[in-house]
Amino acid sequence: GSTDWADLVAFLQEFCNLARHLQPSARSSLFSRLVQLGLFDQVTRIMKLGSEPAKLRATDVLVSIMQYDTAALRTFALHQRDAVLLGLLVREFTDGSGDGGLCEQIA
């Protein structure tokens, strides 16, 4: 159910946060593998259908990856049909509630 999904998103967030402490080559390999396994597709799904806390966690995952590999997200955004993830991020950033949510996390 939705509780299981929220737990999985929270696990992914913690997993990516812990990966920040890996050696650079191991961290790069891990993030590359997560991307190959469809990480950005799942983040897109979360940003489209998830609750506000899930969206915040998904954004944290993106920030974790972007700190070490901006090219992976850039490549995904360029090749994703209709740039869905980019559109969702822009929408959340511009239309967000401004009460400590996504806008606050990114800024």
Side-chain angles (χ1 to χ4, degrees):
S2 63
T3 302
D4 292 339
W5 180 248
D7 288 344
L8 286 172
V9 175
F11 171 78
L12 180 61
Q13 177 192 25
E14 283 300 315
F15 188 70
C16 289
N17 283 334
L18 288 172
R20 293 176 180 179
H21 302 290
L22 293 174
Q23 294 294 325
S25 62
R27 181 179 51 239
S28 179
S29 294
L30 175 64
F31 285 151
S32 292
R33 184 67 179 138
L34 288 172
V35 169
Q36 289 172 356
L37 291 171
L39 175 67
F40 294 141
D41 290 320
Q42 293 308 311
V43 169
T44 300
R45 180 176 177 215
I46 295 163
M47 295 304 293
K48 188 184 291 186
L49 304 172
S51 64
E52 192 65 24
K55 290 177 184 180
L56 289 170
R57 287 186 176 103
T59 302
D60 191 48
V61 168
L62 289 178
V63 169
S64 293
I65 291 175
M66 288 182 355
Q67 287 177 335
Y68 303 103
D69 185 9
T70 57
L73 182 57
R74 184 181 312 117
T75 300
F76 178 81
L78 286 171
H79 293 99
Q80 185 183 35
R81 185 176 182 171
D82 299 327
V84 176
L85 180 57
L86 182 59
L88 290 167
L89 289 170
V90 168
R91 185 188 73 202
E92 289 293 327
F93 189 70
T94 58
D95 297 341
S97 61
D99 60 355
L102 186 59
C103 292
E104 297 292 321
Q105 183 172 347
I106 294 174

